[in-house]
Amino acid sequence: MRLQKYLATCGVASRRKCEAYIIEGKVAVNGEVVQTLGTKVEAGDSVTFCGKAISLEEEHVYYMLHKPVGYVTTVQDEKQRQTVLDLIDDDMHRVYPVGRLDYNTSGLLLLTNDGELTYGLTHPKHHVNKCYEVKVKGQLSEDAKKMLKCGVLLDGKLTYPAKVKVLRKGEKSTTFLLTIHEGRNRQVRRMCEGVGYPVLSLKRISVGKLTLGELEVGQYR
C-alpha cells in the first residue's frame, strides 16, 4: 500500500494532507524519514507520524456535527480557540474534520477517521454537492443571481456553475440556497462579495445526500 494511502487509512488525515506531511518529513518508515510520495508500506513495517507509532484503525467512525459559529475547523488551534473536536465526546478514536467551515460559518460538518472517504468527499474531481443557506445584505438582483449560477471570477479562475434558489427577500436582505461542488477558500463568501452582496450569515445544510435535518446547533450524531 502506498504510504499516503496507509496514513489516510490509519486516520491521520485526508490523503492530500498526508502527502503534505510526507513531504514535510513528518513520517518515518522503519526508523527512516521518508519524503518520497508513493513509497510502499509492507506488512510488518513500522510507521511513525511525528514520532508516534500509527497502525490501521480497527474501526472507522463517522460523525455529523451541526457546527456552531465561533469554532475553528481544525484538530488544534495555535491561538487556543475552541475547535470542533471540543464538541465531540470520543476518546477512543482519532477523528478529524472532512473539509472546512469558516469560524463564522455554521452547519453540517463531517468528522471521521476514514481517510478514503475524506478523499472521496473533498477531491474536486468527485463533484460532491454542498448546499448553503446564505443571507446577504440587500435585495439580490437577477443579474447577480445569473452571475452566481454561471460562475464568479476568483483568483483569476471562474467558479463552476452553481445552483441558486431564493427563499426570502426583505427590504434589507435576501436569503437563498447556493449549491456548489468546489471547496475553494471562503468560496461562498467570496462569490457573494464578488457580485456585490456581503454575507450576513452562512450555514451549510447538506453534503451530498446528507442533510442537517433537525440536528440542533452544537449537537452531533
Side-chain angles (χ1 to χ4, degrees), residues 24 62 72 79 94 107 114 116 122 166-167 174 190 193 198 204 214 221:
E24 291 167 5
Y62 311 88
V72 291
K79 297 179 181 178
R94 181 174 51 194
D114 186 342
E116 288 301 293
T122 57
V166 175
L167 300 177
T174 305
R190 293 169 65 204
E193 290 167 1
R204 185 160 66 190
E214 300 300 318
R221 63 178 177 84

Side-chain angles (χ1 to χ4, degrees), residues 26 34 44 46 50 60 69 73-75 84 130 179 194 199 210 219:
K26 295 182 178 180
V34 174
S46 171
C50 292
H60 282 148
V69 169
T73 308
T74 56
V75 175
V84 290
K130 296 175 280 288
T179 303
V199 171
L210 297 174
Q219 300 299 304

Side-chain angles (χ1 to χ4, degrees), residues 25-101:
K26 295 182 178 180
V27 181
V29 179
N30 298 325
E32 298 290 333
V33 173
V34 174
Q35 293 178 275
T36 304
L37 298 179
T39 299
K40 293 293 184 68
V41 177
E42 306 291 343
D45 283 343
S46 171
V47 180
T48 60
F49 170 63
C50 292
K52 295 183 179 180
I54 61 170
S55 59
L56 292 174
E57 292 277 352
E58 294 183 0
E59 176 188 15
H60 282 148
V61 293
Y62 311 88
Y63 294 115
M64 178 195 293
L65 169 71
H66 188 158
K67 176 193 174 295
V69 169
Y71 284 77
V72 291
T73 308
T74 56
V75 175
Q76 293 180 328
D77 182 63
E78 58 185 18
K79 297 179 181 178
Q80 303 302 313
R81 293 172 296 182
Q82 291 180 303
T83 79
V84 290
L85 288 185
D86 293 327
L87 299 166
I88 303 294
D89 183 19
D90 185 351
D91 296 327
M92 298 295 295
H93 303 94
R94 181 174 51 194
V95 297
Y96 54 85
V98 179
R100 285 180 178 271
L101 285 180

Side-chain angles (χ1 to χ4, degrees), residues 165-184:
K165 180 181 179 181
V166 175
L167 300 177
R168 296 180 295 277
K169 268 193 177 183
E171 292 184 6
K172 298 182 179 180
S173 65
T174 305
T175 301
F176 60 95
L177 299 180
L178 180 68
T179 303
I180 61 175
H181 66 255
E182 295 178 278
R184 301 199 213 177

Side-chain angles (χ1 to χ4, degrees), residues 123-127 129 146-154 157-164 178-184 187 191:
H123 197 284
K125 73 178 182 181
H126 293 121
H127 290 192
N129 283 335
K146 188 178 297 183
M147 290 173 67
L148 290 171
K149 286 183 175 181
C150 294
V152 179
L153 194 63
L154 299 180
K157 182 181 177 181
L158 281 176
T159 59
Y160 280 95
K163 296 178 182 178
V164 180
L178 180 68
T179 303
I180 61 175
H181 66 255
E182 295 178 278
R184 301 199 213 177
Q187 181 171 339
M191 286 176 68

